[in-house]
Amino acid sequence: MEFSRNDDHAALRAAVAEVARSFGPDYYTRRAEAREHTQELWTALGKQGFIGVNIAEEYGGGGAGLTELAIVCEETAGQGIPLLLTLVSCGIAAEVIGKFATPQQRQEWLPRLASGEGKLAFAITEPNAGTNSHDISTTATRDGGDYLLRGQKYFISGVDESDAILVVTRTGTDPKTGRATMSLFLVDSDAPGLTVQPLPVSVTMPERQFTLFFDDVRVPASRLIGTEGDGFRQVFHGLNPERITGAALCVGIGRFALDKAARYASERTIFKAPIGTYQGVSHPLAAAKIAVEAAALMIAKAAWQHDHGEPAGEASNMAKYLAAEAGIAAVDAAIQTHGGMGVSTENGLVPLWGMARLLRIAPINSEMILNYVAQHTLGLPRSY
Ligand SMILES: Cc1cc2nc3c(=O)[nH]c(=O)nc-3n(C[C@H](O)[C@H](O)[C@H](O)COP(=O)(O)OP(=O)(O)OC[C@H]3O[C@@H](n4cnc5c(N)ncnc54)[C@H](O)[C@@H]3O)c2cc1C
């Protein structure tokens, strides 16, 4: 185990933080309140190679790995700017395309993702399947040289700012288990037959969610990613990155909120002493700091395992669980420290609480992570 300073990573952290700082937390709060995209920041990060840090150099990326992408997520969120679409566009889509797409498909999609000019959304969740992705019913049926997609997805983030959507479909059913055999397709966001309907959520953030209706959407076979029927295994290659980047957002949010709260608690004097003197204020902040840094360590382990081709499911799940809980605790303690100012729009803490709280539910809820650890780590019987 290596805990000495890594100069490359320290330089990456500093450079990403500098770009994000030049936009600042007020930029995020304004965009979140107005539900407007953060494309300028995305482009600025792309120009310096940060948004595509995990994409191969031959496609214009940074040629690094998930460890570095997690750093990018931590440091942007650490400036009060958690970028939700890093989970789906950089975390899932870039990882899945980088590993399973044909050279032509990589050439078509990865340079746009690496430059930050293009984004991809990701659609697996369905109203009637929810957490149980094996039960999805959006089908893709072969029709000559094309596939026809039919079905519905919901809570799909960022379709309005993405070129295309990586859609998980059912192309068959395993006769033994009844579970879907899956295939992945890249579907243009404005494809004929695709209805994109806003699904408003109360978490204040720049990214919007949508319900998607696929009404015989015609997709050429050249848009199939990987092998037909092998989509579940392929998508799993992207789900650990999604959990790790989601965890990294929470760690960044937690650090930002705690720094802000510590500054405020040192300056704000009530009853003749700075409020940080009172352990009722300082202990929740300290406890949250411990949790945030423990989560950061688990993120580093999970990302390292993914980058080294080792099984990363357990550590990715643990990182996501720890980070979501730590992020929520950190922002909650920061809000309390600020008193009434904790909910002022100016301080921008409530949107960050909403984002951390969302990340306890998505992309995988904490209960499913506890199920995973109970079954796979502790060997307990499956409950569902
Ligand atoms: C803002 C937002 C953005 C999202 N973005 C995307 C996106 O871009 N792409 C995408 O595909 N999806 C996206 N999602 C969907 C998200 O991944 C799902 O909401 C999440 O996986 C949970 O599915 P569900 O909402 O159907 O909950 P359900 O499956 O209905 O579960 C509800 C609750 O039941 C509990 N539960 C369920 N099963 C079990 C079990 N076996 N054991 C114990 N408890 C259980 C959990 O507490 C869970 O929270 C997004 C969701 C939100 C809210």
Side-chain angles (χ1 to χ4, degrees):
M1 216 171 279
E2 180 60 78
F3 286 108
S4 62
R5 180 186 155 95
N6 178 320
D7 288 338
D8 291 343
H9 286 171
L12 177 64
R13 282 188 188 281
V16 173
E18 194 182 320
V19 175
R21 200 179 303 118
S22 72
F23 285 79
D26 293 347
Y27 162 82
Y28 180 79
T29 310
R30 279 196 309 274
R31 290 299 162 95
E33 296 279 347
R35 312 273 164 159
E36 286 173 0
H37 307 158
T38 51
Q39 183 58 41
E40 310 88 349
L41 172 57
W42 201 274
T43 306
L45 291 167
K47 271 203 183 110
Q48 302 214 26
F50 301 145
I51 214 76
V53 72
N54 57 327
I55 293 174
E57 283 177 13
E58 61 182 305
Y59 301 112
L66 195 59
T67 301
E68 288 73 19
L69 181 62
I71 288 173
V72 172
C73 293
E74 280 181 17
E75 294 300 327
T76 46
Q79 296 300 320
I81 314 179
L83 296 172
L84 185 66
L85 295 185
T86 49
L87 274 68
V88 289
S89 192
C90 320
I92 292 193
E95 289 284 320
V96 168
I97 291 172
K99 189 159 172 81
F100 300 106
T102 63
Q104 292 92 319
Q105 288 171 329
R106 281 184 221 161
Q107 197 56 60
E108 185 180 354
W109 296 99
L110 292 180
R112 281 187 62 67
L113 297 189
S115 71
E117 296 300 328
K119 296 191 197 83
L120 291 173
F122 172 70
I124 188 167
T125 310
E126 297 187 3
N128 294 328
T131 305
N132 184 7
S133 316
H134 294 290
D135 215 20
I136 59 166
S137 56
T138 297
T139 52
T141 318
R142 189 90 199 201
D143 185 47
D146 301 331
Y147 288 83
L148 293 177
L149 268 57
R150 175 167 276 277
Q152 188 183 341
K153 302 280 179 186
Y154 79 159
F155 285 115
I156 308 309
S157 298
V159 180
D160 54 335
E161 49 183 313
S162 298
D163 302 349
I165 312 152
L166 183 64
V167 184
V168 185
T169 67
R170 174 186 281 260
T171 40
T173 301
D174 184 325
K176 280 193 229 127
T177 61
R179 290 173 163 189
T181 51
M182 299 181 191
S183 303
L184 309 179
F185 293 92
L186 274 174
V187 181
D188 289 334
S189 303
D190 59 356
L194 172 63
T195 304
V196 178
Q197 193 179 84
L199 199 176
V201 301
S202 294
V203 179
T204 305
M205 60 181 157
E207 300 83 5
R208 299 177 194 180
Q209 279 66 42
F210 299 88
T211 303
L212 306 180
F213 299 93
F214 296 83
D215 190 5
D216 282 339
V217 175
R218 186 167 287 280
V219 181
S222 60
R223 291 295 192 86
L224 171 73
I225 300 294
T227 310
E228 182 177 331
D230 199 24
F232 195 67
R233 188 183 68 82
Q234 290 161 2
V235 92
F236 248 85
H237 183 76
L239 293 186
N240 288 333
E242 189 187 35
R243 283 163 205 188
I244 292 167
T245 47
L249 287 200
C250 290
V251 161
I253 289 170
R255 286 178 179 156
F256 173 82
L258 293 173
D259 284 352
K260 188 175 173 69
R263 276 197 309 277
Y264 189 78
S266 302
E267 289 161 7
R268 173 81 169 156
T269 296
I270 295 293
F271 296 109
K272 298 198 175 105
I275 55 171
T277 310
Y278 311 130
Q279 291 174 340
V281 172
S282 66
H283 281 189
L285 298 177
K289 181 65 177 166
I290 293 168
V292 165
E293 296 311 323
L297 280 179
M298 190 58 86
I299 289 171
K301 176 178 175 180
W304 185 94
Q305 287 177 333
H306 177 85
D307 287 338
H308 287 79
E310 292 190 6
E314 181 182 90
S316 302
N317 274 309
M318 288 181 174
K320 159 70 173 57
Y321 181 94
L322 287 170
E325 299 304 319
I328 294 167
V331 189
D332 193 64
I335 291 172
Q336 194 70 12
T337 298
H338 281 80
M341 290 305 288
V343 296
S344 71
T345 304
E346 172 194 335
N347 269 313
L349 286 167
V350 174
L352 297 182
W353 181 85
M355 179 63 78
R357 184 63 185 78
L358 164 65
L359 287 163
R360 188 194 270 165
I361 300 168
I364 181 78
N365 54 69
S366 290
E367 291 79 8
M368 285 307 287
I369 294 180
L370 294 175
N371 286 340
Y372 178 96
V373 173
Q375 277 171 236
H376 297 280
T377 307
L378 299 176
L380 294 170
R382 186 182 163 107
S383 60
Y384 57 97

